[in-house]
Amino acid sequence: MSRSPRWALGAAVGLAAGGLLLATAGPASAHNVLVESTPQDGETLDSAPDQVELVFNEEVLEGGNGIVVTGPNGSTYEDGEVQTDTERAWIGLSPLDQAGDYTINYRIISADGHPLEDSLGFTLADEAVPSDEATDAQDPNGTTDDGSPEETDSEDPVADLAMPPWVAVVIAIAVVGIVVSILIRFMRSRGNSDA
């Protein structure tokens, strides 16, 4: 038995392992991070914002993105769908009707296909909300003027945006399959030329 087939088999295994390593480690080395937000994390605002804007260090892909703004009473205030433009993601807000702490939970899809989730917050000062006459329709107990319970969405909208982590596995399998196929053809052609 010649050394050629063993060498080719060793090379095939090495290339397949290297391809698998590159396919799974490549995306993990790139990290998208939040670099700026409006409102800023921890900021106290004298006027209510009409949107939340997040800026990242890398491109944000369209689809699968979520931004949820939760007020002091647990109500959410996002209005419309998340919009993206290169490194920016933003969403419009319904009028913020209560002073206090607001939480921004976000989940964006990075350019490498991985989701990035985090949260930040801001405070809305008393002078930023409409007067009591404008907010009399809402009771702190979660009821409306007619006494009926206020409708709330009990599901976590950010959790519904999960993207399966199988993408890297599929890429790795494809790379290994291609490498093994090429090496098998190479071994067969070497075997035919040796005969």
Side-chain angles (χ1 to χ4, degrees), residues 22-91:
L22 286 174
T24 57
S29 64
H31 297 288
N32 203 348
V33 295
L34 180 70
V35 294
E36 186 181 337
S37 68
T38 305
Q40 295 179 3
D41 190 22
E43 185 177 11
T44 299
L45 304 174
D46 294 332
S47 62
D50 59 359
Q51 74 174 16
V52 167
E53 180 179 0
L54 307 173
V55 180
F56 299 89
N57 67 326
E58 293 181 10
E59 183 177 0
V60 176
L61 298 181
E62 291 184 22
N65 299 307
I67 300 174
V68 179
V69 179
T70 307
N73 65 351
S75 296
T76 58
Y77 292 89
E78 58 279 354
D79 184 20
E81 299 293 321
V82 175
Q83 304 295 312
T84 60
D85 182 20
T86 60
E87 296 89 14
R88 297 174 43 233
W90 69 93
I91 192 164

Side-chain angles (χ1 to χ4, degrees), residues 84-105:
T84 60
D85 182 20
T86 60
E87 296 89 14
R88 297 174 43 233
W90 69 93
I91 192 164
L93 297 176
S94 300
L96 306 183
D97 55 6
Q98 293 199 355
D101 295 332
Y102 286 77
T103 303
I104 303 167
N105 291 302

Side-chain angles (χ1 to χ4, degrees), residues 63-68 81-82 105-109 115-117 156-164:
N65 299 307
I67 300 174
V68 179
E81 299 293 321
V82 175
N105 291 302
Y106 65 87
R107 180 180 191 279
I108 60 98
I109 305 300
L116 172 65
E117 297 181 46
D156 182 4
V158 173
D160 292 340
L161 301 173
M163 183 172 106

